[in-house]
Amino acid sequence: MPDFILFALLVGYGVAVMSGPLGSFAVWRRMAYFGDTLAHSALMGVAIGLLLSININLAITLCCLSLALVLVVLQNNREIATDTLLGILSHSTLAMGLIAVSLFGDGRIDLYAYLFGDLLAASMEDVITIAITGLIVIPIVIALWRPLLAITVHEELARVEGIKVTFVRTCLMLLMALVIAVAMKVVGVLLITALLIIPAAASRRLSHTPEQMAVMASVLGCIAVTGGLGLSYLIDTPAGPSIVLCCSVIFCLSLLKPQPVST
């Protein structure tokens, strides 16, 4: 197996494993647009990295984490609906990022790679970055699993039971922001939400418990990564869109499973 395929598989699997449980919570809590907003803000991180002459990946991560915290604060403002707020921030940050990159990029940035991913260019450094991120994200998700389930089922009841709802919700948003920031290498800004949401949506129809759904989402994500990279290698298609296409096929296949009829 060529090294670039091996590195791409390892990076893709790492992102899929992290995306499984986080994507499940995104589906349960109807936070798909939240992930889209964070993904769009990543381009603003590219622009900030260029302007301040700092590592672009670090700038993207800091930008996504900062926007997640801003969203936590703004969601407490009941005057603006959450979906409206996310729509405004999503398109505003994407537009600002595109304009800033066009003005200050000076040919140093492959915008296509950031928009649609460049997984086949993954290196050992990327593998290590994904592994470190996984060692941070997965243990935190496991530690907060029950509180996260509690606030997902009923926030007010969870608060009465003594769970720090705001803290747990903020942790979830920060973890999603971190995964989105590092996963841009896999499928790019415009497609990362698909990898986060589609496997989780497919696994929802194939699972009977929250834990099963989270694990199944990671497994389906790994299958999509394998299929997408195989498709890209065989017929020379872009890796990121190929992975998302495989995710979509898996979701369509999951629809074939008959659902039990309630009586």
Side-chain angles (χ1 to χ4, degrees), residues 14 17-19 21-22 130-144 148 171-172 174-180 182:
V17 169
M18 291 185 289
S19 298
L22 293 177
I130 293 296
I132 293 173
T133 305
L135 291 174
I136 295 172
V137 171
I138 298 301
I140 294 177
V141 170
I142 293 173
L144 294 177
L148 283 169
C171 287
L172 176 62
L174 290 176
L175 291 175
M176 288 183 63
L178 181 60
V179 171
I180 287 171
V182 299

Side-chain angles (χ1 to χ4, degrees), residues 90-228:
S90 174
H91 297 95
S92 298
T93 54
L94 178 61
M96 286 189 291
L98 288 171
I99 291 173
V101 169
S102 67
L103 291 176
F104 305 107
D106 194 26
R108 291 175 291 168
I109 293 298
D110 182 3
L111 193 57
Y112 183 88
Y114 278 100
L115 289 174
F116 298 103
D118 193 14
L119 181 57
L120 294 178
S123 62
M124 179 55 73
E125 180 182 349
D126 297 314
V127 174
I128 294 173
T129 299
I130 293 296
I132 293 173
T133 305
L135 291 174
I136 295 172
V137 171
I138 298 301
I140 294 177
V141 170
I142 293 173
L144 294 177
W145 183 258
R146 289 189 177 277
L148 283 169
L149 283 179
I151 69 170
T152 299
V153 173
H154 199 297
E155 282 196 3
E156 292 304 320
L157 182 59
R159 185 174 283 108
V160 170
E161 293 178 349
I163 295 174
K164 298 178 180 178
V165 173
T166 301
F167 172 77
V168 174
R169 187 171 61 231
T170 301
C171 287
L172 176 62
M173 291 184 174
L174 290 176
L175 291 175
M176 288 183 63
L178 181 60
V179 171
I180 287 171
V182 299
M184 278 183 57
K185 188 74 173 181
V186 181
V187 290
V189 171
L190 300 181
L191 302 174
I192 177 55
T193 310
L195 188 62
L196 192 71
I197 299 300
I198 298 177
S203 69
R204 189 173 194 174
R205 298 181 60 85
L206 306 174
S207 308
H208 301 289
T209 67
E211 291 78 12
Q212 284 183 1
M213 179 173 165
V215 173
M216 181 65 71
S218 295
V219 172
L220 294 180
C222 290
I223 293 173
V225 169
T226 304

Side-chain angles (χ1 to χ4, degrees), residues 14-81:
V15 173
V17 169
M18 291 185 289
S19 298
L22 293 177
S24 297
F25 281 109
V27 169
W28 293 328
R29 296 177 62 81
R30 300 181 181 180
M31 292 174 60
Y33 208 14
F34 172 79
D36 204 41
T37 301
L38 290 177
H40 286 180
S41 73
L43 271 187
M44 192 166 65
V46 174
I48 293 172
L50 292 174
L51 289 172
L52 301 180
S53 298
I54 61 176
N55 182 277
I56 291 180
N57 292 327
L58 176 61
I60 291 171
T61 302
L62 293 177
C63 185
C64 287
L65 293 175
S66 299
L67 184 63
L69 292 175
V70 169
L71 286 171
V72 171
V73 174
L74 293 179
Q75 279 183 332
N76 294 327
N77 182 1
R78 301 299 181 181
E79 295 180 3
I80 305 177

